[in-house]
Amino acid sequence: MKTRAAQREETRARIVEAALKCFSERGFLGASTREIARRAGENQGLITYHFQSKEELWRAAVDQIFGKLKAELGELPALLPSEDRRARARASIRAFVRFAAAHPELFRLMMWEGTCDEPRMQWIVDVHLRPFYEGPGFGDVADDELKPHFHYVLAGAASIIFAVAPECRRLTGLDPTSSEAIERHADFVAGLLVP
Amino acid sequence: MKTRAAQREETRARIVEAALKCFSERGFLGASTREIARRAGENQGLITYHFQSKEELWRAAVDQIFGKLKAELGELPALLPSEDRRARARASIRAFVRFAAAHPELFRLMMWEGTCDEPRMQWIVDVHLRPFYEGPGFGDVADDELKPHFHYVLAGAASIIFAVAPECRRLTGLDPTSSEAIERHADFVAGLLVP
DNA sequence: GTCTATAATTAGATAGAC
DNA sequence: GTCTATCTAATTATAGAC
């Protein structure tokens, strides 16, 4: 017998999960609450009940996926080899690539919202992105002037192939979500950025 | 005194230019023909007159921006130093980064459409992307297995910082469209991929 | 060629039954 | 909590005046 609170959380979770997929595939404007409800197997009216608006639902979806990133990166230091600084940097980049492969939605969402200087972008940057950018990071960047370049090169190099996986399959024949492709990509990116 | 044909082309060009910006910023679904017409300073009815549908207008916009890429890359070999193979590869990557800085719309459009296996993505890949992918390329990739990875690492590393320029400004304080930032990014990416 | 008016569809949000 | 029905506004595409 499920409690009312548990039932509530399950429904919310199903809606957030479907919303994350829709928003990341179609963008905030392109995604419709009706399609989100349909993919969640729930009713459209429930979205307004559990979240007040489409915008609130979008924020819940972004919170969820950044929560996963934070959790995965938070437990990273304990798993890394402590010997070599460069080996640690490479290992953390490989972990980041694996995260991008497992959760391309985050990077799709960022691409959608990063192109315009509007409230949704400002919220994402201030709430979720800045702590990440100013955190420990992946190895040290020699020159402070290079930090933004390093950040976006890593973000782009690590994630695009997974963010546009359907395109990659059609263009190259390679399924980037296969475990061999993920590991090859992780090695390639880590080797480039920490030679 | 302008001819009727010239007038026609000017109007079409204004609409296509506005469409490129709207589609790249809001995606196909998120962009409205009304906003496109408004930004072009034209009437909404004219879009249906000059292009039959929103989809046709989208294709015209994509044709235009890929035409620029083809033109810029086509005249590249003549401009490159002929001595050193690695120096030539670095120079062509720098040129690609400069193109991404000047025309972020192309990369935004690709991100929008690459995430779903739908007709618009298939059309872009078959008509525009495949010739580019199977063309001469930027230097040789040692291993054929690495070619897709090299392609998407280059595409991501070169373009993301410009595609999400507003986000980059807010997050890092750096304006990636400044000529210093563009050159620094070009040097950084070329140095990484051709060490 | 250009513009206005409008038809047909779909969107997000609301109200109320259960 | 969930679901159906509906309101208002916005969408693409069309028809026809000029």
Side-chain angles (χ1 to χ4, degrees):
Chain A
M1 189 98 164
K2 274 179 283 195
T3 68
R4 210 157 178 94
Q7 176 66 23
R8 177 191 177 87
E9 283 316 304
E10 280 183 27
T11 301
R12 281 182 59 105
R14 267 194 298 273
I15 293 175
V16 166
E17 194 184 0
L20 187 58
K21 286 187 180 163
C22 282
F23 285 135
S24 71
E25 288 175 6
R26 307 189 178 282
F28 180 79
L29 293 169
S32 80
T33 56
R34 277 180 171 80
E35 188 191 356
I36 291 169
R38 193 177 46 71
R39 279 168 77 156
E42 304 287 348
N43 190 281
Q44 192 235 346
L46 273 180
I47 289 183
T48 321
Y49 173 75
H50 283 290
F51 310 86
Q52 290 85 331
S53 66
K54 187 183 181 183
E55 190 112 7
E56 281 294 325
L57 174 57
W58 178 86
R59 270 196 285 272
V62 175
D63 283 344
Q64 204 229 29
I65 190 65
F66 267 95
K68 283 187 184 169
L69 177 66
K70 211 173 153 187
E72 204 138 323
L73 259 57
E75 67 178 21
L76 201 56
L79 302 172
L80 292 181
S82 51
E83 335 101 37
D84 182 5
R85 242 189 58 238
R86 302 171 66 75
R88 272 212 315 281
R90 271 193 296 269
S92 64
I93 290 177
R94 277 199 298 269
F96 183 67
V97 171
R98 286 190 203 101
F99 181 87
H103 305 287
E105 302 88 7
L106 186 146
F107 302 89
R108 289 176 185 151
L109 275 170
M110 293 306 308
M111 281 295 310
W112 287 111
E113 302 300 337
T115 59
C116 294
D117 194 1
E118 289 176 9
R120 280 195 307 278
M121 180 274 265
Q122 298 163 3
W123 180 85
I124 275 203
V125 170
D126 297 342
V127 174
H128 289 297
L129 220 51
R130 201 180 309 281
F132 177 75
Y133 181 73
E134 289 171 355
F138 303 88
D140 320 297
V141 182
D143 189 347
D144 265 2
E145 235 183 8
L146 274 181
K147 191 178 179 189
H149 301 279
F150 185 89
H151 173 86
Y152 282 103
V153 163
L154 172 58
S159 70
I160 291 269
I161 194 171
F162 307 113
V164 299
E167 176 204 296
C168 175
R169 273 183 217 107
R170 192 176 184 92
L171 178 64
T172 72
L174 172 73
D175 176 9
T177 61
S178 73
S179 54
E180 303 84 43
I182 294 172
E183 290 309 309
R184 201 160 50 226
H185 200 71
D187 288 342
F188 185 46
V189 172
L192 280 180
L193 286 168
V194 186
Chain B
M1 189 93 164
K2 273 178 286 195
T3 67
R4 209 158 178 93
Q7 175 68 22
R8 176 191 178 86
E9 283 315 304
E10 280 183 27
T11 301
R12 282 181 59 105
R14 267 193 300 273
I15 293 176
V16 166
E17 194 182 1
L20 188 56
K21 286 186 180 166
C22 283
F23 285 135
S24 70
E25 289 174 5
R26 308 189 178 283
F28 181 79
L29 294 168
S32 80
T33 56
R34 276 180 172 78
E35 188 192 355
I36 292 168
R38 193 178 47 71
R39 279 169 77 156
E42 303 287 349
N43 190 281
Q44 192 236 346
L46 274 179
I47 289 183
T48 319
Y49 173 75
H50 283 290
F51 311 86
Q52 290 87 328
S53 67
K54 188 182 178 182
E55 191 111 7
E56 280 294 325
L57 174 57
W58 178 86
R59 271 196 284 272
V62 175
D63 282 345
Q64 204 229 31
I65 191 64
F66 267 96
K68 283 187 184 169
L69 177 67
K70 210 172 154 189
E72 204 138 322
L73 260 56
E75 67 179 19
L76 202 56
L79 303 171
L80 293 181
S82 52
E83 335 100 36
D84 182 6
R85 243 189 57 238
R86 300 169 67 76
R88 270 211 319 278
R90 270 193 297 269
S92 64
I93 290 177
R94 278 198 297 271
F96 183 66
V97 171
R98 285 191 203 100
F99 181 87
H103 306 287
E105 302 87 9
L106 185 146
F107 302 89
R108 290 176 184 149
L109 275 170
M110 294 307 307
M111 281 294 309
W112 285 107
E113 303 301 337
T115 59
C116 295
D117 194 1
E118 288 176 10
R120 282 196 306 279
M121 179 276 265
Q122 298 163 2
W123 180 84
I124 277 201
V125 170
D126 296 344
V127 173
H128 289 297
L129 219 52
R130 202 181 307 282
F132 177 76
Y133 181 73
E134 289 171 355
F138 303 88
D140 319 297
V141 182
D143 189 347
D144 264 3
E145 236 181 8
L146 274 181
K147 192 178 179 188
H149 302 278
F150 185 89
H151 173 86
Y152 282 103
V153 162
L154 172 59
S159 71
I160 290 268
I161 195 170
F162 307 113
V164 299
E167 176 204 294
C168 176
R169 274 183 216 108
R170 190 174 185 93
L171 179 64
T172 73
L174 171 74
D175 176 10
T177 61
S178 73
S179 54
E180 303 84 41
I182 295 171
E183 289 309 310
R184 201 159 51 226
H185 200 72
D187 288 343
F188 185 46
V189 173
L192 281 180
L193 286 168
V194 186

